[in-house]
mmCIF file of all heavy atoms in Angstrom:
data_model
loop_
_atom_site.group_PDB
_atom_site.id
_atom_site.type_symbol
_atom_site.label_atom_id
_atom_site.label_comp_id
_atom_site.label_asym_id
_atom_site.label_seq_id
_atom_site.Cartn_x
_atom_site.Cartn_y
_atom_site.Cartn_z
ATOM 1 N N PHE A 94 28.034 -9.440 -14.137
ATOM 2 C CA PHE A 94 29.457 -9.738 -13.972
ATOM 3 C C PHE A 94 29.804 -11.155 -14.400
ATOM 4 O O PHE A 94 30.913 -11.403 -14.862
ATOM 5 C CB PHE A 94 29.920 -9.425 -12.548
ATOM 6 C CG PHE A 94 30.023 -7.959 -12.299
ATOM 7 C CD1 PHE A 94 29.168 -7.329 -11.422
ATOM 8 C CD2 PHE A 94 30.950 -7.186 -12.980
ATOM 9 C CE1 PHE A 94 29.250 -5.966 -11.214
ATOM 10 C CE2 PHE A 94 31.042 -5.818 -12.778
ATOM 11 C CZ PHE A 94 30.190 -5.210 -11.891
ATOM 12 N N PHE A 95 28.877 -12.094 -14.277
ATOM 13 C CA PHE A 95 29.118 -13.436 -14.803
ATOM 14 C C PHE A 95 29.358 -13.372 -16.307
ATOM 15 O O PHE A 95 30.313 -13.962 -16.820
ATOM 16 C CB PHE A 95 27.935 -14.368 -14.495
ATOM 17 C CG PHE A 95 28.027 -15.669 -15.224
ATOM 18 C CD1 PHE A 95 28.852 -16.679 -14.757
ATOM 19 C CD2 PHE A 95 27.306 -15.885 -16.394
ATOM 20 C CE1 PHE A 95 28.951 -17.884 -15.437
ATOM 21 C CE2 PHE A 95 27.404 -17.076 -17.082
ATOM 22 C CZ PHE A 95 28.226 -18.086 -16.601
ATOM 23 N N PHE A 96 28.494 -12.643 -17.011
ATOM 24 C CA PHE A 96 28.656 -12.560 -18.468
ATOM 25 C C PHE A 96 29.905 -11.777 -18.861
ATOM 26 O O PHE A 96 30.558 -12.103 -19.854
ATOM 27 C CB PHE A 96 27.399 -11.986 -19.126
ATOM 28 C CG PHE A 96 26.308 -13.003 -19.240
ATOM 29 C CD1 PHE A 96 25.170 -12.896 -18.466
ATOM 30 C CD2 PHE A 96 26.440 -14.086 -20.096
ATOM 31 C CE1 PHE A 96 24.176 -13.845 -18.557
ATOM 32 C CE2 PHE A 96 25.451 -15.050 -20.193
ATOM 33 C CZ PHE A 96 24.315 -14.933 -19.422
ATOM 34 N N ILE A 97 30.270 -10.768 -18.105
ATOM 35 C CA ILE A 97 31.515 -10.052 -18.388
ATOM 36 C C ILE A 97 32.705 -10.995 -18.218
ATOM 37 O O ILE A 97 33.586 -11.059 -19.086
ATOM 38 C CB ILE A 97 31.657 -8.814 -17.470
ATOM 39 C CG1 ILE A 97 30.648 -7.738 -17.865
ATOM 40 C CG2 ILE A 97 33.086 -8.261 -17.526
ATOM 41 C CD1 ILE A 97 30.566 -6.575 -16.890
ATOM 42 N N MET A 98 32.731 -11.747 -17.133
ATOM 43 C CA MET A 98 33.835 -12.683 -16.903
ATOM 44 C C MET A 98 33.840 -13.799 -17.937
ATOM 45 O O MET A 98 34.897 -14.217 -18.411
ATOM 46 C CB MET A 98 33.762 -13.255 -15.480
ATOM 47 C CG MET A 98 33.934 -12.209 -14.397
ATOM 48 S SD MET A 98 35.489 -11.310 -14.515
ATOM 49 C CE MET A 98 36.617 -12.601 -14.072
ATOM 50 N N TRP A 99 32.681 -14.295 -18.303
ATOM 51 C CA TRP A 99 32.578 -15.358 -19.308
ATOM 52 C C TRP A 99 33.087 -14.853 -20.654
ATOM 53 O O TRP A 99 33.833 -15.540 -21.340
ATOM 54 C CB TRP A 99 31.124 -15.812 -19.406
ATOM 55 C CG TRP A 99 30.879 -16.830 -20.465
ATOM 56 C CD1 TRP A 99 31.277 -18.139 -20.454
ATOM 57 C CD2 TRP A 99 30.170 -16.630 -21.675
ATOM 58 N NE1 TRP A 99 30.853 -18.752 -21.598
ATOM 59 C CE2 TRP A 99 30.169 -17.853 -22.359
ATOM 60 C CE3 TRP A 99 29.523 -15.537 -22.234
ATOM 61 C CZ2 TRP A 99 29.547 -18.004 -23.596
ATOM 62 C CZ3 TRP A 99 28.914 -15.686 -23.456
ATOM 63 C CH2 TRP A 99 28.931 -16.902 -24.126
ATOM 64 N N TRP A 100 32.733 -13.639 -21.015
ATOM 65 C CA TRP A 100 33.149 -13.059 -22.283
ATOM 66 C C TRP A 100 34.651 -12.820 -22.310
ATOM 67 O O TRP A 100 35.308 -13.016 -23.327
ATOM 68 C CB TRP A 100 32.388 -11.746 -22.523
ATOM 69 C CG TRP A 100 32.724 -11.072 -23.807
ATOM 70 C CD1 TRP A 100 32.429 -11.508 -25.064
ATOM 71 C CD2 TRP A 100 33.421 -9.838 -23.962
ATOM 72 N NE1 TRP A 100 32.885 -10.619 -25.988
ATOM 73 C CE2 TRP A 100 33.505 -9.576 -25.339
ATOM 74 C CE3 TRP A 100 33.973 -8.926 -23.066
ATOM 75 C CZ2 TRP A 100 34.128 -8.451 -25.842
ATOM 76 C CZ3 TRP A 100 34.582 -7.810 -23.570
ATOM 77 C CH2 TRP A 100 34.653 -7.571 -24.936
ATOM 78 N N MET A 101 35.228 -12.424 -21.185
ATOM 79 C CA MET A 101 36.645 -12.103 -21.133
ATOM 80 C C MET A 101 37.514 -13.308 -20.770
ATOM 81 O O MET A 101 38.737 -13.208 -20.755
ATOM 82 C CB MET A 101 36.882 -10.976 -20.118
ATOM 83 C CG MET A 101 36.200 -9.685 -20.520
ATOM 84 S SD MET A 101 36.545 -8.363 -19.381
ATOM 85 C CE MET A 101 38.201 -7.959 -19.893
ATOM 86 N N HIS A 102 36.918 -14.445 -20.496
ATOM 87 C CA HIS A 102 37.654 -15.612 -20.003
ATOM 88 C C HIS A 102 38.683 -16.159 -20.984
ATOM 89 O O HIS A 102 39.721 -16.666 -20.585
ATOM 90 C CB HIS A 102 36.686 -16.713 -19.611
ATOM 91 C CG HIS A 102 37.354 -17.966 -19.165
ATOM 92 N ND1 HIS A 102 38.082 -18.033 -18.008
ATOM 93 C CD2 HIS A 102 37.426 -19.206 -19.722
ATOM 94 C CE1 HIS A 102 38.564 -19.246 -17.865
ATOM 95 N NE2 HIS A 102 38.182 -19.979 -18.893
ATOM 96 N N ASP A 103 38.440 -16.052 -22.265
ATOM 97 C CA ASP A 103 39.344 -16.684 -23.231
ATOM 98 C C ASP A 103 40.669 -15.954 -23.383
ATOM 99 O O ASP A 103 41.572 -16.437 -24.062
ATOM 100 C CB ASP A 103 38.659 -16.851 -24.584
ATOM 101 C CG ASP A 103 38.304 -15.518 -25.224
ATOM 102 O OD1 ASP A 103 38.659 -14.472 -24.676
ATOM 103 O OD2 ASP A 103 37.665 -15.553 -26.299
ATOM 104 N N GLY A 104 40.824 -14.796 -22.757
ATOM 105 C CA GLY A 104 42.090 -14.084 -22.769
ATOM 106 C C GLY A 104 42.334 -13.246 -23.997
ATOM 107 O O GLY A 104 43.359 -12.583 -24.111
ATOM 108 N N ARG A 105 41.427 -13.230 -24.942
ATOM 109 C CA ARG A 105 41.614 -12.440 -26.162
ATOM 110 C C ARG A 105 41.017 -11.038 -26.047
ATOM 111 O O ARG A 105 41.220 -10.216 -26.900
ATOM 112 C CB ARG A 105 41.004 -13.157 -27.363
ATOM 113 C CG ARG A 105 41.764 -14.407 -27.726
ATOM 114 C CD ARG A 105 41.175 -15.056 -28.928
ATOM 115 N NE ARG A 105 39.892 -15.650 -28.544
ATOM 116 C CZ ARG A 105 38.977 -16.076 -29.407
ATOM 117 N NH1 ARG A 105 39.172 -15.951 -30.687
ATOM 118 N NH2 ARG A 105 37.876 -16.619 -28.985
ATOM 119 N N HIS A 106 40.266 -10.768 -24.999
ATOM 120 C CA HIS A 106 39.601 -9.458 -24.879
ATOM 121 C C HIS A 106 40.284 -8.582 -23.917
ATOM 122 O O HIS A 106 40.679 -8.709 -22.920
ATOM 123 C CB HIS A 106 38.123 -9.647 -24.467
ATOM 124 C CG HIS A 106 37.331 -10.333 -25.512
ATOM 125 N ND1 HIS A 106 37.067 -11.672 -25.445
ATOM 126 C CD2 HIS A 106 36.772 -9.911 -26.670
ATOM 127 C CE1 HIS A 106 36.353 -12.032 -26.501
ATOM 128 N NE2 HIS A 106 36.162 -10.981 -27.254
#
Side-chain angles (χ1 to χ4, degrees):
F94 287 113
F95 170 80
F96 282 110
I97 289 171
M98 296 302 291
W99 176 71
W100 181 68
M101 296 183 77
H102 177 67
D103 64 5
R105 291 182 288 166
H106 294 99

